[in-house]
Amino acid sequence: MVSYKRLSPEDVQFTNAVASEEAPVREEGKDPEETDRPLLPRRPSCSATTALISLGSLLLLVCGLWLLVTIFWLQAPSNSVPHRAPPPRGSPGTGGGDGSRALPEPQACGVVPEAWRFDCYPERGVVVTRELCEARNCCFIPASSFPPAPGRNGVPWCFYPPGFPSYSLVSVNATDLGQTGTLVKTVKTYYPKDILTLQLELLYETDHRLRVRITDPSESRFEVPIAVPKATEKASSPAYSVELSNEPFGIIVKRTSTGAVLLNTTVAPLFYCDQFLQLSSSLSSQYIYGLGEHRSSFLHDIHWNTLTMWARDVAPTELTNLYGVHPFYLAMDEGGTGTAHGFFLLNSNAMDVVLQPGPAITWRTIGGILDFYVFLGPDPASVIGQYLEVVGYPAMPVYWALGYHLCRWGYGSSNATWDVVKNMRNYGIPQDVQWNDIDYMDRSLDFTFDPTAFSTLPDMVKDLHSHGQRYVMMLDPGISSVQPEGGYWPYDEGLRRGVFINHTDGSTLIGKVWPGLTAFPDFSDDVTHEWWYDNLKRFHDKVPFDGLWIDMNEPSSFVDGSTVGCPDTELENPPYTPGILGGLLRAKTLCASAVQKTSSHYNMHSLYGLLEAKASARALKRMLGKRAFVISRSTFPSQGQYSGHWLGDNRSHWKDMYTSIAGMLTFNLLGVPLVGADICGFSEQTEEELCVRWTQLGAFYPFTRNHNSIDQKPQDPPAFSPRARSAMKQSLLLRSSLFPLLYTLFHRAHTHGHTVARPLLFEFPKDVRTYGIDRQFLWGKSLMVTPVLDPGVDYVVGYFPQGLWYDYYTGDSIRSKGEELRLKAPLDHINLHLREGAVIPTQRPNTTLFVSSGQPLHLVSSLSEDGSAGGELFWDDGESIDTLETDQYAHVVFTVVKNTMTSEVLHDHVEASYITVETASFYGVKVEPTRVTVNSHDAAFTYRANQVLTVTDLGLNLSQNFTISWI
């Protein structure tokens, strides 16, 4: 749910005159004429004579500028190498003893290409004039390009000249893990509290991971409190080389195998002030991914695109900071080599990340330290694995988390909720989990349920359990502070234990959420974790829920800061505020100056959802003795260890369905593979066709949930026509049949940091045509999904990378040279294709995974040109904690070579003995067999003209090795 009434992107006001992509939005409270004023101030009117003289002077100036630009253009590199990074900047000006500096020479300003102009005046809401710019000793040149698109910054008119004062590297010393150095700056810049002496630490942690820390040696500063690995020895054969520029200071990181420059911070000056830290670098190419959470295409636009990070409750909207903060990007190297690298800034403060067409990036944060990692890959999947080695691999989900979830805000009663579940059963539509939104609570109070409307809630949950189904409830962090003393244990006990976030004077900070005035638990305190567990346990004794949905945890509040406002301090009003929605750090959240145990909310804000998820997962494991199921709205690096994520309060629009794919793929990069969007849309009324197509797509979200808003018509499958209902049921049964594959993919994510839903570029990194694809995706290496994302069509166009592909349903083969193909897509069909060389395990589906997981297996092999294929299956009881570590699992590998499939049990467990292999299909068997044997015994088979061999009635025990051969 959201803390506003159906806010659409068109309604969002941007404090920096940035609007949504549909239409520019005028800032509130501004005079129209003031809003539309030109960037340069108007001059007073003048006489005709003066006008003629001015015109002549202007013509001379234009001619002079034209001559300079022409000379520069003639000397510039060929267009065959566009936007090459400029050489390291020259020495900074010395300036006077009072910190003054001479203005930059016009000639020096004119040689800086537009693509490499780094913004010297990034503040929002300021009309930057020449006078303001030059007061910072920066270059002022109005951009020659057309005005930017609505919501874009465009080429900065005020930018750093060559030689702008920066730090110098005055000493370097070798250490056991790398190098350490001292950085010194002699000239102060225009942000207050410059830190003039810094310590540099280079840590060669592994052959594929470099860590760089830049800190204040004289005073400790806030550092993000998440566990990261501590290297004990220096990398012996690093895949990277590091060069240090002394003056101005800069770091250049290259890939040793190719010499490709992955990081070059000499392109712009380094800033390190108390509340303004800025680091810029060249990028290796225009292909940048990650940098969550934002609504955008999967491949980011680098044309003057500012991505702001500060957790915020707002419906997914372009150019807006959303629920989570993930300062990590994946970049493909230039030239289509297929190599990739990653960059992670370990910082939780509000920040802007600026992408510009150099290509280059600027990190601009208002606190903490500069602590960053470079990951060398070399392939995209390896980059993600290396990133997750730092922030933590995702947890292995409980098996029912991968089923179909159904929810809505506004069922109205437990009996109405129960009726939906019964309808699903009557129609034989798969459903594993039923949820309730906030309306199940008594007056929106956490850890309560409405004694009248939801009086049968405990009975409903017991009924779900008796049918192999599960129940998930919503919890918000805001705890009501206005109940009669002694009448609301969560608040009374929270006050007694001191678990709530406070003002600087020690009083409890009070905001406002659904129950009215509320206090907010401080999840950075272990005392709060124990209090949270106690509340959950007390409620579970009444309603035996199975998982938690934690919402509103940015944290969100309906008032800015608190009910009594916030103090006028530097934490509330920093010298620079990133482009956050609302313009203030406290906008619709808590005071930045609020006190938490670990640090101020200024530093901890974007960690709130992570820490609540951590407390929730710990409590559930302790309470249930099983794997925890938690879905969180707000997220931060390492989130995948504790929860999954849904993509927020989307709308019932076709565009929202499309952008959900980019969100899903991005969160898989960020280590949160259990992710999905609200199927059919949360707000506004869905349409039947949209809901059918979205259910087909949603069946391939790693986390699959249909959820909609209050006052909207129901959108669960039984609410639609028989044709639509049948199509939805078919797609959900299809998902259930693929559970063994999906479960195995999550095992790989948990143990190796792999992605589950995967962009095509991961498997085809040398095919540049895959770099921007976000209308298709893969499950693992081999199953390609091509959904319909447009209304009124019965076909879809999909890109097939070079190789042999098979229609998943029929086994018909497609041999592609790397081309787009038009595919039939009637309303009851989603296109799936298997890549050559795969063996995937499937299962006879049922209405719950509790039943399906005991059904016989069907193995599908998509043979390569040489007749080979391979795959695997991970299997355990689906809910016990740490089954891998305690050897309570089975792992089976399937291999096809020379007309023979071999099953090899690498690790056995009793769970595997309950499963049989019933059938096996082989796509791409070129010659019709005359005989098929199973463990050397003749077996019945069929062979179709499209080269599909199927062997049936196998009855093979999964826990025993077997062979299937044909001649």
Side-chain angles (χ1 to χ4, degrees), residues 615-685:
S616 300
R618 284 180 172 179
L620 287 176
K621 287 182 180 180
R622 178 179 167 188
M623 192 169 64
L624 305 177
K626 299 175 182 178
R627 297 174 204 166
F629 176 80
V630 181
I631 294 293
S632 175
R633 190 168 73 178
S634 187
T635 60
F636 192 80
S638 78
Q639 189 83 29
Q641 294 185 77
Y642 311 107
S643 84
H645 173 61
W646 97 101
L647 296 172
D649 297 328
N650 60 7
R651 298 179 298 167
S652 297
H653 292 183
W654 289 88
K655 180 177 181 180
D656 289 65
M657 178 169 64
Y658 156 63
T659 58
S660 73
I661 297 177
M664 171 185 65
L665 295 177
T666 295
F667 269 89
N668 270 264
L669 265 61
L670 300 174
V672 190
L674 188 62
V675 60
D678 284 346
I679 294 170
C680 303
F682 171 73
S683 66
E684 304 186 28
Q685 187 58 52

Side-chain angles (χ1 to χ4, degrees), residues 298 381 384 402 647 660-676 697-703 735 741-742 744-746 748-749 753-763 776-785:
F298 178 55
I384 302 307
L402 307 184
L647 296 172
S660 73
I661 297 177
M664 171 185 65
L665 295 177
T666 295
F667 269 89
N668 270 264
L669 265 61
L670 300 174
V672 190
L674 188 62
V675 60
L697 167 61
F700 291 91
Y701 292 155
F703 166 59
R735 176 188 177 86
L741 169 64
L742 184 60
T744 301
L745 291 175
F746 268 98
R748 280 290 169 187
H754 290 180
T755 51
V756 174
R758 188 171 302 176
L760 269 64
L761 76 92
F762 269 48
E763 294 300 322
Q776 296 170 271
F777 57 95
L778 297 163
W779 266 14
K781 294 183 176 181
S782 304
L783 185 65
M784 185 166 70
V785 184

Side-chain angles (χ1 to χ4, degrees), residues 435-450:
W435 299 40
N436 275 122
D437 206 308
I438 196 171
D439 49 315
Y440 79 90
M441 298 179 185
D442 180 15
R443 294 165 292 149
S444 300
L445 300 175
D446 276 354
F447 310 111
T448 69
F449 65 94
D450 186 326

Side-chain angles (χ1 to χ4, degrees), residues 356-374:
Q356 63 188 72
I361 187 169
T362 294
W363 300 88
R364 189 182 297 137
T365 184
I366 62 172
I369 65 172
L370 294 179
D371 183 359
F372 59 87
Y373 294 83
V374 181

Side-chain angles (χ1 to χ4, degrees), residues 890-954:
H891 187 197
V892 185
V893 172
F894 307 103
T895 306
V896 182
V897 178
K898 296 180 179 179
N899 296 356
T900 298
M901 165 178 271
T902 302
S903 162
E904 182 181 3
V905 180
L906 299 183
H907 194 281
D908 193 18
H909 187 256
V910 65
E911 288 291 335
S913 66
Y914 303 147
I915 309 299
T916 60
V917 178
E918 184 178 53
T919 58
S921 293
F922 302 89
Y923 297 170
V925 177
K926 298 177 182 177
V927 178
E928 182 176 1
T930 59
R931 183 187 181 197
V932 174
T933 60
V934 177
N935 293 334
S936 301
H937 298 286
D938 287 343
F941 68 92
T942 60
Y943 182 82
R944 300 201 303 268
N946 61 349
Q947 301 184 342
V948 174
L949 168 65
T950 301
V951 188
T952 58
D953 302 322
L954 294 173

